[in-house]
Amino acid sequence: MYNGVLTLKLPKGVEIVGFAVDIVLAVVGETLEEVEMLATEAIDTRAEITVGENAIASKRVLKYLGVILDDRISFNSHVNYAREKAAKAINAIVRIMPNNSGPSSSKRRLLASVSSSILRYGGPAWDAALKTKKNQRKLNSTWP
């Protein structure tokens, strides 16, 4: 099924690595700018896999090991994903807590810890997204 994807003509320094149901572009360059240019050029090479009568087209955004990767390597999609996931987890925990006079300090610490763990997952991979004020505001607004 992957034969068409694994044999795509890609720029020099770009390889497709496949394992099980995942594929990844491995890009080698002398500078970060060269790597970004090669990755963008490779991503723009579209592939379509056909399984029986069903066509599976390549996408501009994908989830790999729990981190959302977009074709611009901006990680803005991951910031949105992490924020939504943390908010859902917080809301689920809040719903099962008794609602007497608001959460105690220990319960607030629990909620903060859960939110922080979700938001930090894979941080070293997508920390460049934190350079924008917009993404910082999004992540800081996760806590209700």
Side-chain angles (χ1 to χ4, degrees):
M1 186 167 76
Y2 277 134
N3 287 348
V5 175
L6 296 173
T7 58
L8 284 173
K9 288 198 174 240
L10 298 173
K12 186 177 179 183
V14 179
E15 290 185 38
I16 295 180
V17 179
F19 181 76
V21 296
D22 293 320
I23 58 172
V24 171
L25 284 178
V27 183
V28 177
E30 293 187 19
T31 65
L32 179 59
E33 291 77 20
E34 182 182 4
V35 169
E36 288 179 9
M37 185 215 41
L38 289 170
T40 300
E41 187 179 332
I43 289 169
D44 286 341
T45 304
R46 293 282 169 208
E48 189 173 278
I49 301 170
T50 304
V51 180
E53 295 180 11
N54 300 311
I56 303 169
S58 58
K59 296 182 180 181
R60 301 188 78 78
V61 176
L62 64 94
K63 184 181 191 181
Y64 187 71
L65 299 176
V67 176
I68 306 298
L69 304 167
D70 58 60
D71 62 344
R72 302 231 182 254
I73 313 171
S74 69
F75 295 99
N76 292 334
S77 297
H78 181 76
V79 168
N80 293 333
Y81 167 77
R83 180 176 177 262
E84 289 171 19
K85 186 174 181 180
K88 284 180 185 177
I90 289 169
N91 288 332
I93 294 170
V94 166
R95 280 196 304 272
I96 62 173
M97 287 182 173
N99 190 8
N100 298 352
S101 60
S104 65
S105 63
S106 63
K107 291 177 183 174
R108 284 194 302 272
R109 280 194 305 274
L110 170 67
L111 295 172
S113 177
V114 168
S115 175
S116 178
S117 294
I118 292 169
L119 294 175
R120 289 181 182 174
Y121 179 79
W126 59 271
D127 70 339
L130 298 176
K131 292 179 180 165
T132 69
K133 296 283 185 199
K134 182 178 179 181
N135 285 336
Q136 290 173 11
R137 280 193 304 274
K138 284 181 183 179
L139 293 175
N140 287 333
S141 71
T142 301
W143 182 254

